[in-house]
Amino acid sequence: MKSGGKFSRKDFLKTVLLGGLMLPFLQYCGKKVKSLLLKITGTNHVLGHQLWAKDFPQFSEVIHTQYLVVGGGISGLSACRFFSQHGKEDYLLLEMEDHLGGNSSNGQNKFSKFPLGAHYLPLPNKENTEIIDFLTESGICQGTEENGEPVLDEYQMTFPQQERLFYKNSWQNDIVPQKGISAEVQQELDRFFKMMDGFRQKKDAQGNYWFAIPVHDSSREDEVLGLEKMLFKDWLEEHDFRSEELLWLLDYSCRDDYGLGIDYVSAWAGIHYFAGRKNNWSKKYKDQVFTWPEGNARLTHYFSKYTKDKYLTKNLVFDIKINDKVEVLSFDNVHKKTIKIIADKILLATPQFVNERIFNNRKASSFHYVPWLLTTITLNNDFGGDEELAWDNVIYGSSGLGYIFDQHQNINQIMGEKVITYYKSFSTNDSKKARKKLYAMKEPELKNLVLEDLKKAHPLIEDFILEMQFHKIGHAMIAPTPDQIFGDNTKAAKEPIDGKVFFAHSDLSGISIFEEAFYQGVRTAAQMLQSP
């Protein structure tokens, strides 16, 4: 989900969507379903927690490779792509889960695919040429017009209606509160966005953006770094931003991208949410995003040709020794055996809380990971009545982040059931406690948690539900708390070991978005090839 903005509509897409409005209005059925299927999925934290004990068998197989990549998320996948594109085909990828993609994964039922994590990609900045090359290779970008405007596949972008907000007991377009706000609130909103426009273009004397993507390319001037040492809420108070509507919007935005709200993230991160994206690649589509029913798992699929016959899933790396080469021990959870992999160099595309279990002298206490709950809900087709579901549906004042309509881009009339995915991050000063609570919650408690929130906008939603799938992610994303992005602990965690062990993960950027994970993999893979 994303914070708002207006967008252009193609005539064809208008015709398709407006044609659907000619259908008879649907009415709520008013009859409660007789059965409701509840089930829980999640990341394999049980296998991951075996790193604490390291009670694994002796190795019974040895594999040799030039480059070993550990972690099959976007960082690991982009590193494999980089190796292949630079003529290095002797690499192997290990992943603990039973699939690749990390937070860019998906599920599927008989009605729709649905995301199990990240679900969209904003248009990149024109400076992000490596990502633009990837989008071109993937067929998302189909060329460039004479005026420099990219030709984009509109079927992989948001259709109308892109987003809406339930505010003051009715739905409004856009998620910036508009209906019935006071002149003072409007002035404050205008002042804030004008400031963000200034920050979006601001550069230092060396020509570096104050707020760049990837964050590594951002300015390091003292005034910039000072913003990373203070809380966003303190910066807002200092600049006299106090209206309920604006503070809600900013808190929602930070929870949506970072997991934690304005009380916990740095001022630098809070401003970066609005100023990091320059909206300078496309004038025609600048306010739209790329999205798919399965979310960013579609992007994972585009990496697949670089991992064919080059990866092993359900493998947990638990020991690394550095000699002339790097010796890695990995537990194969399928065959219940330990494999030794001998590599020239290794890339750990794994989060720091995993790395500290492999290397006892590495500490991850300064890295704060937020737990998330995703709930995919299958509903009777009558859900929504005569209201058009937007792609992104947000509820003002909600503790959750609203829901996306997974079949948003279906250009055919949806005759079957509707599938939506609800998102909730646990914004708190004690993520460890929240994580334990999330893992302990059973189906009935999760159901009540989600429905209590959704009923604010849909009082009768329970009458339409056929199935709810709860997906728990205990360490879903790094949170950019003060000093997280540019601090000494993060800087130290990035340093290679003996020119043989390298590290790449979005938590080393301090912001968990596709672009950061992508660049972590690309730039670290390049560093590995350049290292003697």
Side-chain angles (χ1 to χ4, degrees), residues 190-200 235 239 241:
D190 293 342
R191 181 165 64 90
F192 176 81
F193 285 116
K194 184 177 181 180
M195 287 186 71
M196 295 305 105
D197 287 341
F199 279 126
R200 186 177 294 114
W235 183 89
H239 289 79
F241 290 114

Side-chain angles (χ1 to χ4, degrees), residues 258 260 264 353 364-371 428-432 435 475-482 484 507 510:
Y258 308 142
L260 297 183
Y264 309 110
F353 66 85
S365 57
S366 64
F367 290 78
H368 304 282
Y369 300 89
V370 183
T428 171
N429 62 356
D430 193 339
S431 291
K432 183 177 181 180
R435 185 160 39 251
H475 297 80
M477 63 198 312
I478 188 67
T481 53
Q484 180 66 63
D507 62 3

